[in-house]
């Protein structure tokens, strides 16, 4: 049973499924706060299908991953090892980090890039219960006027956007849904 | 005809993941040039290897692809790239701007306003706007880090001192969200106003120079200028000789060796659509409409 769970749940049609999943990631990152549907992955709990699809689409042997306490189970580790071949590392060395918002604290431990290479920064995949109820107002690139969105916290993202062009970027996932918050977005209370 | 020997959209999955990660970081830092491990493509550098890699990483089987070369759908470069993706990704292709979901372009932005469902992929020869002012990559990277763009303003000032106006007419530098100075690829400066506030996602790929950068929709993009020499998105002072449009960007075509010339829309899709709608220009077969 355990082996079957680890070996299954990948994209059934890798090239096409990852292309569709990437477009959801691209649309999410290009339009902060807007909820996108993403499908194709069936990872072991507590990993959500959306988070699993993001990892299948973007992570591989060249992208170290940090797995926070909330998601650090044997099944999740083995699933990521089999499907992504990504090394599991400490938070400060990670390209991708996966976990609930509380488990990812403190977010200051993640790479925010350097002045010359701000792209060398972490992408956090924040697992949420539900991302449909807005808690914040967003503005900035990708948003015509303003956009309301669910954020698990406010101050941390205000501080993150103040570091622009440095900073980390976030995906928020729940079930088959995802939204994104790049460092370029300005965040205000609703 | 399909080529089963190749992966969907030609590139292998590891390469696409690498390009996709670069694209997402590019969107998160608008105007910043993300290095990426550009691959050899089955076409020479200068023919859009960067744009093709970005398009390959973005295409899904449901997409409709349009490819333009200086506005035209029917030039060698555009036709070749369209055929390439018809064979390797089995996507639909179209010459109509409004029908396309992914548009790869060389040196133009379509005349028709783009919409939210569309992605515009630019082919970029030299992504570094400061390259002709400072040849060292280590230096230009530091200049971007320090937001040190004085040299670019000196260049534009020297234009004014020498010619009385800013003589840069294409690849006109822009500032993105008040932070990064960016090369918009060699689009005519006429197209610069369409870079900012655009509803579509704009992605830039430079294959030989191994850089990817991006503009999310509705990004603030300002063409550099001076208060007393404001930016002027100029075009030839004519109407199109085929469709009569007075607002589109025009190509000047020399028709004989006695200096005769005609002006036609550079965007062929826009021009044919207008002609089909009954608009006429100076050379329309119906008569002397304009």
């Amino acid at each position: 049973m355990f082996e079957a769970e680890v070996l299954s749940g990948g994209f059934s049609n890798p090239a096409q499924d990852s292309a569709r999943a990437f477009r959801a990631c691209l649309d999410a990152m290009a339009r902060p706060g807007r909820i996108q549907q993403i499908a194709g992955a069936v990872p072991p709990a507590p990993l959500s299908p959306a988070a699993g699809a993001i990892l299948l689409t973007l992570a591989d042997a060249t992208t170290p991953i940090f797995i926070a306490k909330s998601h650090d189970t044997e099944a999740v580790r083995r699933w990521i090892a089999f499907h992504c071949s990504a090394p599991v590392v400490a938070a400060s060395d990670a390209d991708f980090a996966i976990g609930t918002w509380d488990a990812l604290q403190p977010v200051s431990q993640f790479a925010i890039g350097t002045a010359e290479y701000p792209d060398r920064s972490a992408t956090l995949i924040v697992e949420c219960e539900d991302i449909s109820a807005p808690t914040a107002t967003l503005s900035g690139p990708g948003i015509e006027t303003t956009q309301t969105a669910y954020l698990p916290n406010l101050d941390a993202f205000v501080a993150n956007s103040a570091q622009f062009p440095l900073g980390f970027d976030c995906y928020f996932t729940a079930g088959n849904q995802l939204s994104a918050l790049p460092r370029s977005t300005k965040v205000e209370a609703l | 005809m399909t080529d089963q020997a190749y992966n969907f959209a030609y590139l292998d999955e590891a390469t696409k993941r690498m390009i996709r990660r670069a694209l997402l970081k590019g969107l998160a830092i608008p105007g910043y040039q993300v290095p990426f491990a550009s691959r050899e493509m089955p076409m020479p550098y200068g023919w859009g290897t960067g744009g093709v890699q970005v398009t390959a990483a973005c295409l899904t089987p449901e997409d409709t692809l349009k490819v333009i070369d200086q506005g035209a759908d029917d030039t060698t470069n555009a036709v070749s790239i369209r055929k390439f993706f018809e064979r390797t990704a089995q996507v639909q292709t179209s010459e109509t701007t409004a029908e396309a979901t992914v548009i790869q372009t060389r040196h133009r932005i379509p005349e028709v306003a783009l919409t939210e469902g569309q992605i515009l992929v630019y082919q970029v020869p030299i992504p570094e706007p400061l390259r002709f002012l400072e040849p060292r990559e280590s230096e230009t990277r530091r200049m971007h880090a320090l937001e040190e763009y004085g040299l670019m303003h000196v260049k534009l000032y020297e234009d004014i001192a020498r010619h009385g106006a800013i003589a840069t007419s294409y690849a006109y530098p822009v500032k993105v969200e008040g932070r990064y100075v960016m090369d918009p690829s060699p689009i005519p400066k006429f197209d610069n106003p369409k870079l900012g506030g655009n509803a579509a996602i704009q992605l830039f790929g430079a294959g030989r120079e191994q850089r990817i950068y991006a503009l999310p929709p509705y990004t603030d993009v300002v063409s550099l200028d001076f208060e007393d020499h404001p930016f002027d998105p100029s075009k030839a002072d004519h109407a199109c000789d085929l469709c009569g449009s007075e607002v589109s960007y025009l190509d000047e075509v020399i028709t004989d060796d006695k200096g005769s010339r005609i002006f036609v829309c550079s965007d062929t899709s826009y021009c044919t659509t207008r002609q089909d709608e009954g608009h006429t220009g100076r050379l329309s077969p119906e008569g002397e409409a304009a």
Side-chain angles (χ1 to χ4, degrees), chain A residues 41-113:
Chain A
V42 190
L47 211 51
S48 69
I54 295 174
L55 290 175
L56 290 179
T57 306
L58 299 175
D60 57 28
T62 65
T63 58
I65 294 184
F66 170 72
I67 306 176
K69 283 260 173 348
S70 60
H71 286 63
D72 196 357
T73 68
E74 184 66 17
V76 168
R77 275 182 176 250
R78 292 184 61 178
W79 191 82
I80 289 174
F82 179 74
H83 290 280
C84 308
S85 342
V88 176
V89 297
S92 55
D93 299 328
D95 280 353
F96 291 97
I98 173 89
T100 62
W101 179 250
D102 289 336
L104 289 168
Q105 298 307 313
V107 285
S108 57
Q109 63 188 326
F110 296 107
I112 56 169

Side-chain angles (χ1 to χ4, degrees), chain A residues 14-16 18-20 22-23 25-27 29-31 34 55-60 62-63 95-96 115-123 140-144 164-165 167-169 171 182-184 186, chain B residues 7-8 13-14 16-18 20-21 23-25 27-30 32 34-35 57-63 101-102 115-119 137-138 141-142 145 177 179-180 199-201 203 216-219:
Chain A
Q16 284 81 355
S18 64
R20 294 186 187 103
F22 169 67
R23 284 290 280 277
C25 295
L26 186 81
D27 282 336
M29 196 55 86
R31 300 187 168 84
R34 249 199 240 180
L55 290 175
L56 290 179
T57 306
L58 299 175
D60 57 28
T62 65
T63 58
D95 280 353
F96 291 97
E116 286 169 6
Y117 292 95
D119 58 304
R120 294 179 182 173
S121 54
T123 303
I143 301 166
E144 192 169 11
F164 185 86
F168 54 81
D169 308 303
Y171 282 111
R183 65 196 80 173
S184 57
K186 287 159 205 75
Chain B
N7 188 27
F8 171 73
E13 290 304 297
K16 282 196 250 174
R17 277 194 294 271
M18 176 268 298
R20 286 166 178 166
R21 289 192 296 264
L23 287 169
L24 294 172
K25 285 298 174 193
L27 281 172
I29 318 164
Y32 165 74
V34 186
C58 288
L59 278 182
T60 69
E62 294 77 34
D63 275 317
T101 51
V102 178
T115 58
E116 290 219 341
Q118 294 180 307
I119 298 176
E137 168 68 11
S138 54
R141 196 154 277 277
R142 186 169 307 151
E177 288 287 328
R179 179 57 182 82
Y180 284 102
I201 300 172
L203 306 174
Y218 312 114
T219 300

Side-chain angles (χ1 to χ4, degrees), chain B residues 3-213:
Chain B
D3 292 83
Q4 293 301 327
Y6 289 109
N7 188 27
F8 171 73
Y10 186 74
L11 292 173
D12 61 278
E13 290 304 297
T15 299
K16 282 196 250 174
R17 277 194 294 271
M18 176 268 298
I19 295 171
R20 286 166 178 166
R21 289 192 296 264
L23 287 169
L24 294 172
K25 285 298 174 193
L27 281 172
I29 318 164
Y32 165 74
Q33 301 164 50
V34 186
F36 81 111
S38 177
R39 302 294 197 245
E40 293 247 1
M41 296 300 285
M43 61 185 70
Y45 288 130
W47 285 68
T49 52
V52 163
Q53 289 178 75
V54 171
T55 302
C58 288
L59 278 182
T60 69
E62 294 77 34
D63 275 317
T64 303
L65 178 70
K66 170 182 163 87
V67 184
I68 51 175
D69 176 358
Q70 308 226 344
D73 291 278
D74 50 5
T75 54
T76 313
N77 200 188
V79 172
S80 304
I81 293 173
R82 211 159 49 226
K83 287 220 165 110
F84 176 75
F85 283 115
E86 278 173 6
R87 280 179 62 167
T88 59
Q90 297 90 49
V91 290
Q92 295 287 312
T93 54
S94 172
E95 297 194 359
T96 310
T97 303
E99 283 176 5
T101 51
V102 178
I103 303 172
Q104 182 172 332
T105 175
R106 177 175 173 271
H107 310 356
R108 268 316 305 278
I109 299 176
E111 302 289 351
V112 180
L114 300 177
T115 58
E116 290 219 341
Q118 294 180 307
I119 298 176
L120 187 59
V121 178
Y122 295 77
Q123 303 172 197
V124 183
I126 308 284
E128 178 50 73
L130 304 166
R131 182 61 69 234
F132 291 108
L133 308 170
E134 170 52 66
R136 288 168 296 179
E137 168 68 11
S138 54
E139 283 302 306
T140 53
R141 196 154 277 277
R142 186 169 307 151
M143 290 158 80
H144 283 294
L146 298 174
E147 219 175 329
E148 175 52 70
Y149 296 126
L151 208 52
M152 184 58 88
H153 278 103
V154 171
K155 190 229 172 216
L156 296 175
Y157 168 74
E158 283 181 347
D159 261 13
I160 295 169
R162 210 170 288 163
H163 308 289
I166 297 175
T168 307
S169 58
Y170 65 95
Y172 192 103
V174 295
K175 197 163 201 184
V176 180
E177 288 287 328
R179 179 57 182 82
Y180 284 102
V181 165
M182 185 189 96
D183 181 319
S185 86
I187 57 172
K189 66 177 176 178
F190 173 80
D191 282 341
N192 270 27
K194 292 181 240 169
L195 289 163
N198 200 318
I201 300 172
Q202 299 174 80
L203 306 174
F204 299 75
R208 180 184 50 214
E209 302 290 323
Q210 313 202 322
R211 295 291 182 273
I212 278 173
Y213 49 105

